[in-house]
Amino acid sequence: PVYVIHSFAINGKGIIMTSIKASLSFPPRTFLSNHRQSELSALFSTLEPVKGQLIPGTYKGTLFAVKGLDWLPAILKVLLYGLLTTWLNPWRGKGFSEDGGANLWGIGPFIAQWGFYCFDKNESEEIFLDYGVEKNAFFLKPIMGEIRVFQEGLYLARMQYRAKSGVKTLLYFTLEVEG
């Protein structure tokens, strides 16, 4: 597919994407991994939230835009995020059931679930992943996830941490339907 990028300037500090339509000639994850958290936040706010329910199953995950790494030169970020798509990164993605799910971790064929969440919906039926479940360790309970539709079968998601000082975005990742 090809993507068309619409952009605008925020506070005169650069170009931020606001919407993407099916028309880029390179893979969406490559496009997404080349942007700062602030740019992804602007994009995220324009994407349609996942409403109702995700289809139960396994979703392959790809990490990028980790908080605190924006200062790295672009080539180092490309290398680091490239390594995160290899066997060196044990996070494989997420598994969803009817009422929640878990992160999938593993090396090769050995996969385990750790970091459980339930679905929390707001008034508009937007789904949030709430890690405040009993079986999680105390440091996982403040985590909250949000998922938006990037394109059919590919979702842009972010992991946030609820602290006394407010909600902080820690990283962005994609989820792709496996199958």
Side-chain angles (χ1 to χ4, degrees), residues 98-118:
E98 298 293 326
D99 57 352
N103 286 286
L104 304 175
W105 300 86
I107 302 290
F110 306 104
I111 303 292
Q113 295 183 346
W114 189 75
F116 298 89
Y117 46 83
C118 64

Side-chain angles (χ1 to χ4, degrees), residues 24-73:
L24 277 180
S25 59
F26 45 88
R29 271 186 305 289
T30 301
F31 168 76
L32 290 169
S33 66
N34 288 325
H35 292 86
R36 297 180 178 277
Q37 271 206 352
S38 59
E39 295 169 333
L40 290 168
S41 179
L43 170 63
F44 195 85
S45 67
T46 68
L47 298 176
E48 186 67 29
V50 172
K51 293 184 178 181
Q53 182 177 333
L54 284 164
I55 297 170
T58 301
Y59 290 71
K60 180 179 185 248
T62 304
L63 293 172
F64 58 90
V66 177
K67 180 116 180 131
L69 297 182
D70 276 352
W71 62 272
L72 287 174

Side-chain angles (χ1 to χ4, degrees), residues 16-159:
I16 308 296
M17 335 43 80
T18 59
S19 64
I20 297 176
K21 304 229 189 243
S23 59
L24 277 180
S25 59
F26 45 88
R29 271 186 305 289
T30 301
F31 168 76
L32 290 169
S33 66
N34 288 325
H35 292 86
R36 297 180 178 277
Q37 271 206 352
S38 59
E39 295 169 333
L40 290 168
S41 179
L43 170 63
F44 195 85
S45 67
T46 68
L47 298 176
E48 186 67 29
V50 172
K51 293 184 178 181
Q53 182 177 333
L54 284 164
I55 297 170
T58 301
Y59 290 71
K60 180 179 185 248
T62 304
L63 293 172
F64 58 90
V66 177
K67 180 116 180 131
L69 297 182
D70 276 352
W71 62 272
L72 287 174
I75 188 69
L76 287 179
K77 284 194 290 190
V78 167
L79 291 172
L80 176 63
Y81 294 136
L83 285 173
L84 290 176
T85 65
T86 71
W87 62 271
L88 294 172
N89 178 10
W91 183 68
R92 297 290 171 237
K94 293 187 177 291
F96 294 105
S97 65
E98 298 293 326
D99 57 352
N103 286 286
L104 304 175
W105 300 86
I107 302 290
F110 306 104
I111 303 292
Q113 295 183 346
W114 189 75
F116 298 89
Y117 46 83
C118 64
F119 295 135
D120 187 13
K121 296 180 184 176
N122 63 14
E123 311 80 47
S124 66
E125 291 294 304
E126 183 178 351
I127 295 175
F128 295 90
L129 309 181
D130 183 356
Y131 284 73
V133 298
E134 189 175 316
K135 55 182 152 182
N136 279 339
F138 73 94
F139 57 87
L140 293 178
K141 291 182 180 187
I143 294 175
M144 178 179 68
E146 277 186 86
I147 302 173
R148 302 287 173 103
V149 178
F150 185 71
Q151 68 180 52
E152 187 176 333
L154 182 66
Y155 302 91
L156 178 60
R158 66 181 171 192
M159 183 175 95

